[in-house]
Amino acid sequence: MFTGELAESRQTEVMIRDIDEHAMELLVDFAYSSHIVVEEANVQVLLPAACLLQMTEIQDVCCEFLKKQLDPSNCLGIRAFADTHSCQELLHFADKYTQDRFQEVIDNEEFLLLPVNQLIDIISSDELNVRSEEQVYSALMLWVKYNVPERRQHLAHVLQHVRLSQLTAKYLVGTVGSDLLVKSDEACRDLVDEAKNYLLLPQERPLMVGPRFRARKPVRRGEVLFAVGGWCSGDAIASVERYDPQSNEWRMVAPMSKRRCGVGCAVLSDLLYAVGGHDGQSYLNSIERYDPHTNQWCGDVAPTSSCRTSVGVAVLDGFLYAVGGQDGVSCLNFVERYDPQTNRWNKVAGMSTKRLGVAVAVLGGHLYAIGGSDGTSPLNTVERYDPRTNRWCPVSPMGTRRKHLGCAVYNNMIYAVGGRDDTTELSSAERYNPQSNQWQPIVAMTSRRSGVGLAVVNGLLYAVGGFDGSTYLKTIEVYDPEKNQWCLCGSMNYRRLGGGVGVVRLPHLETYFR
């Protein structure tokens, strides 16, 4: 301005516009003193002033301050502020925060006040962290119905960024297709029909490409993996350790009060439950509950109705289910569920087959019991429980008989890995697609693993411990779906056969940098 040929270089007085006077005073003082205090009361005037005057050091300090202020109630405002002032790093940071905490963000008024272009930016992201596409559709309709006269004109334009093809047929027809706003818009009806074709005509899917037909792949953060109990060198163990993918380290945490092999583990309301197992001498019906925030186990959970080990455990609709197992006398087919509100277990319908060493998974509002042994031989059969009807029904069997296998839900499919068949420990793996009711093989793990734990942590699938036929394992491997391969990624402190695994979200560990 002053050393070039601009008009200001010849003026004795220059009017500086669009800068808050208090911010200008702070910046001039900083130029002489190298000292400035950035705080909540001044950051919103300091940042645009620093941008205009190209004081990058102050810009960086302001952006770092705002990162620490991010909250579900203000992240959209900070995101818009960063976009207005071309603070790309803060914008990227706020974007990732919004995507990761989407379900909390939509509960705040900032979401309802979003302009349409910003709404599209958010819901079109592949990395949006949602349990199902229903959440995205529900959020969109909340936004539209906040101001129907002005926003109904945008419905079709925004709806095309909802992955309607990833909804269940029941939800697509019964909820989306029956909504009056959707029914009254021809372009919206076309989008619904397109999604119906995707669901009903699987042979046409190879021709349907693009974001509308692609499952989201959120980059989850803040989740840690717990490995609980197990069997090692001839004895059950009570040790528990925690894996943080951010640091790639396993650390010991408080042990359980009892040694437990064949223990079932699941997470309910961010608390880790260890169910049953065998302590090396007797079968257990006791339950322990771990709070990762206090690093303490407590035993005030009601016991199951019978002692059981090699039990399958999962959480569905706020209830903890214990499925099958063995009680020391016989293999079990009965199922019970725990209500944390009443601290009681109640029996539900039993499976059609007795199963010990069974794996259980929750997908699409159903509980799946996968493989195991009927007390005589390993099984490849699978059955599914519907809590609304309290009935089990068979689904397509696996390609391989497996007991003491690991299973987890990953990218809306059930993955079953390892275990043991009639003769040997297995490294093979397969996955179940509920839409086609078919199992298909995937690449085998690098090691044979019976009694393996399988869990999804921050969007990655981990196989933990087990027994390879000669050695108790403490190694971990992770599956890469793009390359369709498993890679070793470190080791636990303890070798574990038949240990439980559980994944807990710890918000204080969250980081939003890639």
Side-chain angles (χ1 to χ4, degrees), residues 217-419:
K217 296 181 180 180
V219 180
R220 295 183 178 87
R221 303 163 177 86
E223 292 178 342
V224 294
L225 172 67
F226 287 84
V228 180
W231 186 268
C232 178
S233 302
D235 204 0
I237 57 179
S239 71
V240 182
E241 51 190 309
R242 183 181 87 176
Y243 173 69
D244 180 1
Q246 307 259 339
S247 62
N248 195 31
E249 291 181 347
W250 286 90
R251 294 184 179 179
M252 304 306 299
V253 299
M256 296 178 290
S257 66
K258 294 182 181 293
R259 295 174 296 157
R260 298 176 187 267
C261 174
V263 58
C265 286
V267 174
L268 176 59
S269 300
D270 292 331
L271 300 173
L272 179 64
Y273 287 75
V275 179
H278 190 278
D279 66 4
Q281 295 180 323
S282 57
Y283 294 85
L284 305 172
N285 69 340
S286 63
I287 318 295
E288 299 186 54
R289 181 180 62 215
Y290 176 74
D291 185 340
H293 299 282
T294 62
N295 190 30
Q296 291 182 335
W297 290 88
C298 74
D300 62 358
V301 183
T304 51
S305 62
S306 70
C307 298
R308 53 169 87 186
T309 188
S310 299
V311 56
V313 176
V315 170
L316 173 60
D317 295 334
F319 294 99
L320 183 70
Y321 284 77
V323 179
Q326 60 177 325
D327 60 7
V329 177
S330 59
C331 182
L332 307 173
N333 74 330
F334 70 79
V335 181
E336 51 191 322
R337 71 181 186 185
Y338 173 73
D339 183 347
Q341 303 298 322
T342 61
N343 192 29
R344 289 183 178 178
W345 289 88
N346 296 295
K347 286 188 177 180
V348 298
M351 297 177 289
S352 62
T353 304
K354 296 180 178 181
R355 298 177 189 269
L356 68 89
V358 60
V360 292
V362 171
L363 180 60
H366 294 90
L367 185 71
Y368 289 78
I370 302 157
S373 169
D374 61 6
T376 304
S377 60
L379 304 168
N380 67 344
T381 57
V382 181
E383 45 190 310
R384 182 176 69 191
Y385 175 73
D386 187 339
R388 291 158 295 214
T389 60
N390 191 32
R391 294 180 61 184
W392 290 87
C393 65
V395 298
S396 179
M398 293 183 290
T400 302
R401 298 176 181 271
R402 304 175 189 271
K403 64 178 180 179
H404 304 299
L405 67 156
C407 84
V409 173
Y410 184 53
N411 289 341
N412 296 314
M413 297 189 195
I414 299 174
Y415 283 67
V417 307

Side-chain angles (χ1 to χ4, degrees), residues 78-149:
I78 291 177
R79 179 189 183 280
F81 189 65
D83 193 21
T84 298
H85 299 291
S86 301
C87 299
Q88 293 304 312
E89 185 181 340
L90 179 59
L91 176 62
H92 176 76
F93 195 90
D95 260 339
K96 296 305 172 190
Y97 186 96
T98 301
Q99 291 164 7
D100 195 53
R101 303 287 286 272
F102 181 73
Q103 198 54 43
E104 297 168 78
V105 170
I106 63 177
D107 291 333
N108 292 277
E109 189 178 22
E110 273 195 351
F111 177 79
L112 298 174
L113 298 176
L114 275 175
V116 63
N117 61 318
Q118 290 184 31
L119 175 68
I120 290 171
D121 283 347
I122 293 167
I123 69 169
S124 62
S125 171
D126 278 350
E127 297 179 3
L128 200 63
N129 184 14
V130 288
R131 292 189 302 274
S132 71
E133 201 64 22
E134 293 177 12
Q135 293 176 299
V136 186
Y137 173 77
S138 296
L140 162 60
M141 297 311 290
L142 275 176
W143 181 85
V144 171
K145 291 176 181 179
Y146 185 75
N147 189 344
V148 173

